[in-house]
Amino acid sequence: MTQAAYPQVGSAGDVNGDGVPDLWSRLADNTMVGWNGVASAGTTASFSARYEIDGVPGSKIAAGTTLASGQELTSGSSKLVMQTDGNLVLYTKDGKPLWATGTGNNPGARARMQSDGNLVVYAANGTTALWSSKTTVPHSYAVLHPRGVLVLYNGSGQSLWSSGSQSRPDYNGDGYTDVLARDPNGDVWVYPGTGRTGTSTLGSSYLVGTGFWRDSWTHVYSTDLNNDGRTDIVARTKEGELHLFPGTGGTGTDSFSDRYLIGVGWNGYDLGFGDINGDGRTDVIARDGGGDLWVHPHKGGSGTSTLGERIFIGNGFWPGGWETLRFADVNGDYKTDIVGRTDQGELHLFPNSTDKNGTISFGGRSVVGTGWWPGQWNPHVTDLNSDGAAEQVGILNNGEMYDYLPTGRTLIGVGWNYYDVIL
């Protein structure tokens, strides 16, 4: 076992539950492998044959791994950097920040994936915790996905925490923002991002699903609801059932695995998705017919145990006054904000001011756009140009799609009024 082939070797204790300590190693290509301990006469005498710990693609950060000041980890289109200023930052391959712990001004800080399941950024003294994922499942590990998402998993491969990807739907995992579109025949297509601009922003579409008829599946959404780093489809039936179609990171009709039920009784709500309380899990935001806004926090489960009891977060969002509500990090603080469009065509930003303890709140609103008239524009908020920051994207009623960048708006394409565009 040479150091060149096995740069990191360690033990997180008994992983497989047989009472004998096990061994792990990260290979030079970042693949995680393990050896189960074999006991003889009450002591660990040998180890089993080597096996791959999991099949999740990406750079794996095992329990016991430390990222020292200045160290970085790469994976496909992304890299995770423990900066010398103390900030742990996730970057695109073009060097644009996607997520950060906000722990700058702490030179010499380091990040550690602990054996208790918590990812922690410590100050240079090694004892003062500056930030943590607040996950507490022993033998967990992290994976830096090639598309630019950091995810923590337990020993069984279930996601515990994610750095988030709500502004960057990426179905094929190449690190570029894709557009999902449903046609009148119930077929669902992905237009893959290319990393280019203008009418070259999106590539040729490919079919990912059929049978999503509008009279059966009244609403289709894009999000990473199971927090595994891959973009999912969430769809609501006319009966009010909410179903999750988990993303696989593949292409074509292999893009999603079999659906499962999230819950019932969702008729009468306008829905959105994002990590509102800052716990690293995607929540469901629901507006009722009376203009009240609720958050159904993700509680770490799956199926009908995915969401917890709803929490009231605001009122006065009357459907007639606030024509659309979108959810994304608009101001660059890595928190999910609210962008609302009024019946007068104004876009208002409600910045997320939730504190580090998860107490949900929003700051005073400000106008971030005008002229987005209902019936003329369908506004979205997404990182369409894949630079790491969400921007306004608009679709005119004549089918033209525009991306609004700091340099001005640019035409993406035409004919989009044929589809239900899902961003």
Side-chain angles (χ1 to χ4, degrees):
M1 180 181 286
T2 65
Q3 186 173 7
Y6 299 87
Q8 288 184 293
V9 180
S11 176
D14 174 24
V15 175
N16 63 354
D18 64 357
V20 183
D22 306 311
L23 192 66
W24 63 262
S25 178
R26 187 172 71 182
L27 305 185
D29 65 357
N30 285 312
T31 300
M32 285 296 304
V33 296
W35 299 264
N36 292 329
V38 179
S40 177
T43 62
T44 303
S46 62
F47 292 93
S48 70
R50 193 186 87 177
Y51 59 90
E52 188 170 333
I53 289 178
D54 67 87
V56 179
S59 297
K60 302 168 184 68
I61 307 171
T65 301
T66 296
L67 287 178
S69 178
Q71 190 174 358
E72 66 181 53
L73 186 67
T74 61
S75 178
S77 301
S78 62
K79 64 179 178 179
L80 183 67
V81 182
M82 186 66 250
Q83 298 185 163
T84 56
D85 67 354
N87 203 11
L88 181 64
V89 185
L90 177 59
Y91 287 98
T92 68
K93 60 185 176 184
D94 298 322
K96 304 296 179 60
L98 296 171
W99 170 85
T101 56
T103 51
N105 298 316
N106 287 283
R110 69 202 69 174
R112 184 169 180 81
M113 185 67 236
Q114 299 184 162
S115 60
D116 63 1
N118 202 11
L119 177 63
V120 185
V121 175
Y122 285 104
N125 60 20
T127 58
T128 303
L130 304 174
W131 174 92
S132 79
S133 61
K134 300 182 177 66
T135 46
T136 57
V137 180
H139 315 311
S140 298
Y141 60 95
V143 174
L144 176 60
H145 285 253
R147 60 162 294 197
V149 184
L150 183 66
V151 182
L152 269 61
Y153 298 92
N154 64 17
S156 300
Q158 181 183 13
S159 171
L160 303 172
W161 176 95
S162 170
S163 63
S165 58
Q166 302 313 310
S167 300
R168 303 176 61 246
D170 177 13
Y171 298 96
N172 57 13
D174 65 355
Y176 296 122
T177 301
D178 307 322
V179 175
L180 192 70
R182 174 174 62 172
D183 68 26
N185 301 314
D187 295 337
V188 177
W189 307 79
V190 164
Y191 285 79
T194 65
R196 297 190 288 271
T197 59
T199 55
S200 298
T201 299
L202 302 174
S204 298
S205 64
Y206 56 84
L207 181 71
V208 296
T210 61
F212 286 88
W213 299 288
R214 290 168 177 167
D215 57 350
S216 297
W217 297 95
T218 57
H219 296 78
V220 181
Y221 311 93
S222 170
T223 188
D224 178 14
L225 189 58
N226 60 5
N227 303 295
D228 66 351
R230 305 181 182 102
T231 305
D232 313 316
I233 287 177
V234 176
R236 186 171 72 190
T237 68
K238 63 181 179 181
E239 294 84 12
E241 294 180 350
L242 205 61
H243 292 259
L244 175 66
F245 297 75
T248 66
T251 58
T253 53
D254 293 325
S255 298
F256 303 95
S257 54
D258 294 339
R259 77 184 195 219
Y260 59 80
L261 180 69
I262 298 297
V264 298
W266 291 93
N267 279 337
Y269 292 96
D270 296 327
L271 300 183
F273 301 84
D275 179 13
I276 296 296
N277 57 10
D279 66 352
R281 298 173 178 149
T282 302
D283 309 312
V284 177
I285 308 103
R287 175 175 63 172
D288 64 28
D292 291 339
L293 206 59
W294 307 83
V295 169
H296 295 255
H298 199 298
K299 61 180 185 179
S302 60
T304 55
S305 298
T306 298
L307 303 174
E309 293 295 323
R310 69 180 188 177
I311 301 170
F312 176 75
I313 60 170
N315 56 19
F317 289 93
W318 308 104
W322 294 95
E323 295 284 337
T324 57
L325 297 178
R326 307 298 188 197
F327 303 90
D329 174 25
V330 176
N331 56 8
D333 63 356
Y334 310 112
K335 297 179 180 180
T336 301
D337 308 312
I338 301 172
V339 177
R341 193 256 306 264
T342 70
D343 56 357
Q344 299 302 307
E346 293 182 344
L347 294 182
H348 291 251
L349 170 65
F350 296 80
N352 189 331
S353 54
T354 298
D355 64 24
K356 63 181 180 179
N357 297 315
T359 303
I360 299 172
S361 63
F362 289 87
R365 73 187 191 194
S366 59
V367 177
V368 294
T370 59
W372 294 84
W373 299 105
Q376 183 179 2
W377 285 99
N378 186 9
H380 297 272
V381 185
T382 192
D383 178 21
L384 192 57
N385 69 341
S386 304
D387 70 347
E391 69 266 13
Q392 306 296 338
V393 176
I395 302 172
L396 274 169
N397 55 11
N398 66 2
E400 295 174 350
M401 179 188 290
Y402 289 92
D403 194 11
Y404 284 75
L405 301 172
T407 55
R409 78 175 191 182
T410 180
L411 178 69
I412 301 300
V414 298
W416 290 96
N417 51 351
Y418 178 74
Y419 297 103
D420 299 326
V421 175
I422 303 153
L423 280 170

